[in-house]
Amino acid sequence: MELDRAFCAVGEFGSCQRRFVAVLVGLQWCLIEQEAYKVSLASSLFFAGLLIGNITFGPLSDKFGRRPVYLTGLFFDVILGYISAFAPSYRIFAMSRLGVGVMNGGTALVSFVLMQEYVGKSFWALTGSLAHMTFAVGIAFYAMLGYCIRDWRTLAFVSNSPGAFFFLLSYLLPESPRWLHSQGSVEKAEVIMHYIACGNGKESLKIKLKPLGGSGKIQDSAPGVLNLVTHPVLRRRTIILMYVWYVCSLVYYGLTLNAGELKGNLYLNIALYGLVEVPACPLCIYFIEKPWAGRRKTTSAFLISAGFACILNMFLREYSGLFWNPILLALSGKLAISAAFNTVYIYTSELYPTVIRNAGLGVCSMTCRLGGILAPFVPTMKSISPSVPFVVFGISGLSAGFLDLLLPETLNQPIIENLQDLQASET
């Protein structure tokens, strides 16, 4: 039995992912005047850690398996989170934030791939979209916690505690059957598939997977991330996807900065910034499953829509009508770029073979972090002209949207397990 057909037969179950937002601690250690930069430094170290985690955890999970890398990262994520909450000095706090960033960035990436590989490809759109929706809901939930808990140590402790619960639940998760199958461990993959089938009330179903070409472990998985450079098909896809991911992050945070002009309660505004992304989930599920849209056209359309939102914002900065309010337009653009972010995760997962899927997502996520780092500097270009930041964000969104059209469509296509299958699909 082929692996995709086996998933359709046995049913599905999923996983979950979590994020922990850093807190400001300037007043705790009197970080004022010449020491004020340390407040921003702690946040910068967290985002630097995210970048490191994105780069390192992907190849590790492709080599050693999804489950052990995910559990290890989640365990140290929780431990370092508690160290941040009870840090006796700024130095320990800052280093723990770096560690939390590494573990958080890597664990989030691996958990997403693990979740997708538990289910059949026909469910990837649903599970991928729901994963991103929980992130948006998490922003709103964190805003509520921040409103109710004003002490930063208590807030850090409470927001970190669900991780310990999820770590215990994660011990019940088996290894990814797709990863085992790609490594030649067909019998182990069959056992896990039968376990999933039993959980879905199909105990009598017999699972017999077809081994991949060759014997034993697939040899092309050994080089890992180097294949992204040496393999011509992967190199072309990776270059395009890196730019798309970079623009997604750049425009997302750029529109967020513009939406930051909203007046009113700070906690309510933060909650709205998260909840405005929730509609992206049903939008993505609807469009990417339609043959006339698919993954490629949907991603491109959302990117172009976000780009146009930035361009229109440039012309409507001084206008404050009911339907053409610049802030409303910026939030609409954020919804579009959030939907693009959602879709590109699913799309990228389907463009890479199983043996190198995590490494590919890790490299793309790395450029995503670079976009997030550079985004705050773009608004400073308004010293040249107030329109320049909107031009940068708008052109970036439009160019990424059109460049995305050069990638192949993956809707209703079988999941590629190894590099031989990838090469065959291109011929």
Side-chain angles (χ1 to χ4, degrees), residues 23-24 27-28 142-156 158 265-268:
V23 294
L24 298 178
L27 296 178
Q28 178 72 32
Y142 191 82
M144 182 189 72
L145 282 180
Y147 179 79
C148 298
I149 305 173
R150 301 304 174 93
D151 177 68
W152 76 267
R153 291 189 183 274
T154 305
L155 178 62
V158 172
N265 186 276
L266 172 64
Y267 300 99
L268 178 60

Side-chain angles (χ1 to χ4, degrees), residues 224-262:
V225 71
L226 292 178
N227 281 321
L228 301 177
V229 178
T230 59
H231 196 284
V233 176
L234 287 176
R235 180 171 61 245
R236 179 174 175 272
R237 292 185 181 183
T238 300
I239 291 174
I240 296 175
L241 287 170
M242 286 174 66
Y243 182 70
V244 170
W245 280 64
Y246 163 80
V247 170
C248 280
S249 181
L250 183 74
V251 178
Y252 177 90
Y253 289 109
L255 288 172
T256 300
L257 289 172
N258 184 73
E261 298 176 5
L262 283 172

Side-chain angles (χ1 to χ4, degrees), residues 17 112 115-116 123-136 244-245 248-249 252 277-286 288 295 298-299 302-303 334-350 361:
Q17 63 178 185
F112 179 83
M115 175 185 63
Q116 296 295 75
F123 285 82
W124 279 24
L126 175 62
T127 54
S129 297
L130 289 176
H132 284 271
M133 187 174 70
T134 58
F135 176 71
V244 170
W245 280 64
C248 280
S249 181
Y252 177 90
E277 302 178 33
V278 173
C281 176
L283 284 175
C284 290
I285 294 175
Y286 176 79
I288 65 180
R295 274 64 160 155
T298 299
T299 304
F302 281 131
L303 284 167
K334 188 184 179 186
L335 170 62
I337 200 65
S338 299
F341 235 144
N342 188 346
T343 309
V344 78
Y345 259 96
I346 302 167
Y347 190 28
T348 304
S349 299
E350 296 176 350
L361 278 168

Side-chain angles (χ1 to χ4, degrees), residues 166-189:
F166 286 125
F167 175 76
L168 296 176
L169 285 182
S170 296
Y171 251 100
L172 302 176
L173 299 176
E175 181 56 88
S176 163
R178 286 194 182 276
W179 182 83
L180 290 171
H181 187 252
S182 72
Q183 301 298 300
S185 301
V186 178
E187 294 182 358
K188 293 182 179 179

